[in-house]
Amino acid sequence: MSSLQFLNERADIIKKAQALAVNTNAAKGLQEVLKSNLGPKGTIKMLVGGAGQVKLTKDGSTLLGEMQIQHPTAAMIGRAANAQDDIVGDGTTTNVLFIGELMRKAEAYLSEGVHPRILVDGIESAKIETLKFLEEFKEERKIDRDLLIDIAKASLETKIHPKLAEQMASIVSDAVMTIQKEDNIDLHMVEILHMKHKMSTDTKLIKGLVLDHGARHDDMPKKLTNCYILTCNVSLEYEKTDVHSGFFWSSAEQREKLIASERTFTNDKVEKILELKRKVCDGTDKSFVVINQKGIDPESLDMMAKEGIIGIRRAKRRNMERLTLACGGHAMNSVDDLTEEDLGFAKLVYEQTIGEDKFTFVEGVENPFSCTILIKGPNDHSIAQIKGAIRDGLRSVKNCIHDQAVVPGAGAFEIAASEHLREHQKTVHGKAKFGVEVFADALLTIPKTLADNGGYDSQEVILDCVDKYNETKKPFGIDLNTGKPSPSNVTNVYDNYCVKRQFLNISPILSQQLLLVDEVMRAGKRMRAEEE
């Protein structure tokens, strides 16, 4: 009987070899689920909800988030992999595969009587050496548009169709370059908006802004060119007093005067906007647009419509921040002392109606630091798939700019690191060599899986790549179109440096902890005796 069972006789205990088997089987099981999804040639999983909802995806993060994982060890691996996605935006599937393979390889040595602590020491030594090798292996490159497109394409092709990924890669690269201010990149300044309209290939980047609502007056123009844009947060509607009050009158004339005096407060604010419009637009080909975060009542809208102004009310706060970055000018909280310097400018503002939804496009802005990716698709599934891929693509481009370096992809780094560890193994003494060997073999699961998913013989492909690397000492990855080794500067497949560094930090640490588990105990305070 376990010592814990003396304290709690209802506790469930799994000891030694059984505990290790439970953890290893959980890691291997999750690996098998996600294995076929890796890489651009990976297959797709269909997730079906309790109410019959269907989701098709090959994104590891989505799968781990949507699947109901009940096994505690598998759930912990899933959370660790999702943490990688939260930090750097990619590498979820790689994490799961690497942890599963480390556990699988370690199991063989443990069954032969090697102590887990010795293996863990070897794995830790291999991890430190691999991180050092990563610093030497990364390529510090001048960051230009072509490189950013290559990085984005490598990320997007694992989530959507390659032809579509090629188009999206240039969209996300241009979006990040648009919002970049020196070293500061705020991805919240990229608005991602979707329209259920046309085809996925009609998705486009708008260097400006798209608002998901339109003008609220039928007589307002639907399209204006050379527009001054007033961005404001001012109430242009009749408001009741904060204190309880009442108006009393004895004749109809007095009532009309009271109504007129109530309206004067709001009308004066609208009139100040109209005066500014006349000042900057009369005698020119310029027009005027008002975008307000607060309300505009029907009478105020009518006054604007008579002056040929597009008035948009109740704009979202996030769009107010983006508007000034895209169009220039200042977000005004008062209509007093308005000047031309407070106004933004756009060459074209127009409204588009699709079904019952209205969209307002603000295009042709100068030096924008905010933009909109307008996703189009025939159904909700394709829109959701593209939206998820674009988020990951934006993160990969941002990571590349921050890292100022890239790592050759398509399995090139894993093959080179594995060969480097075999040399390092000669300098390690004792049984810790086994831990280094486990790490070196586990790294090869990434290129092997890429080859398997491409329909090639993984052993033959890996051996060819290893031979090429040993001959030239240059990075060789797998060309998934031919199944042959190919240098990274030919395939132009690159991974983010920070993604590789992160997965080399997360996976080995979790594997080490799981290997050192010698007892699994279920003994919560609220456990009750089973009914007999």
Side-chain angles (χ1 to χ4, degrees), residues 175-200:
V176 174
M177 290 169 75
T178 299
I179 64 167
Q180 185 180 2
K181 283 185 177 178
E182 297 172 0
D183 290 335
N184 182 34
I185 300 171
D186 182 4
L187 292 182
H188 290 104
M189 290 304 108
V190 179
E191 168 83 337
I192 299 176
L193 202 67
H194 66 268
M195 297 166 71
K196 199 185 283 189
H197 180 54
K198 295 189 177 178
M199 303 298 290
S200 302

Side-chain angles (χ1 to χ4, degrees), residues 16 19-24 27 72-73 76-77 79-81 99 102-103 106 110 115-117 119-121 123-124 127 505-520:
K16 302 266 178 169
L20 187 64
V22 164
N23 288 340
T24 306
T73 306
M76 185 164 66
I77 294 170
R79 284 196 295 271
I99 292 171
L102 275 172
M103 298 294 288
L110 293 171
H115 196 278
R117 171 55 66 188
L119 270 184
V120 164
D121 290 343
I123 289 171
E124 182 64 21
K127 183 193 93 171
N505 275 305
I506 289 177
S507 304
I509 289 173
L510 185 55
S511 303
Q512 289 168 37
Q513 290 174 337
L514 293 175
L515 288 172
L516 290 174
V517 170
D518 70 341
E519 204 165 359
V520 178

Side-chain angles (χ1 to χ4, degrees), residues 86-188:
D86 293 339
I87 297 164
V88 293
D90 205 357
T92 317
T93 310
T94 305
N95 245 318
V96 172
L97 297 191
F98 189 49
I99 292 171
E101 196 65 19
L102 275 172
M103 298 294 288
R104 188 193 300 271
K105 298 292 183 188
E107 187 182 28
Y109 286 104
L110 293 171
S111 64
E112 292 175 9
V114 179
H115 196 278
R117 171 55 66 188
I118 295 170
L119 270 184
V120 164
D121 290 343
I123 289 171
E124 182 64 21
S125 168
K127 183 193 93 171
I128 293 167
E129 188 61 30
T130 308
L131 286 167
K132 286 180 188 172
F133 179 70
L134 177 63
E135 296 299 319
E136 300 165 11
F137 193 77
K138 70 179 183 183
E139 297 179 8
E140 294 186 356
R141 301 274 294 273
K142 183 187 175 186
I143 306 299
D144 56 15
R145 184 174 181 270
D146 291 338
L147 180 63
L148 293 179
I149 288 174
D150 288 337
I151 280 280
K153 202 189 296 182
S155 173
L156 291 167
E157 280 185 351
T158 63
K159 295 166 180 66
I160 53 178
H161 192 277
K163 289 282 184 190
L164 190 58
E166 203 166 319
Q167 179 190 346
M168 298 302 160
S170 57
I171 287 175
V172 297
S173 301
D174 290 340
V176 174
M177 290 169 75
T178 299
I179 64 167
Q180 185 180 2
K181 283 185 177 178
E182 297 172 0
D183 290 335
N184 182 34
I185 300 171
D186 182 4
L187 292 182
H188 290 104

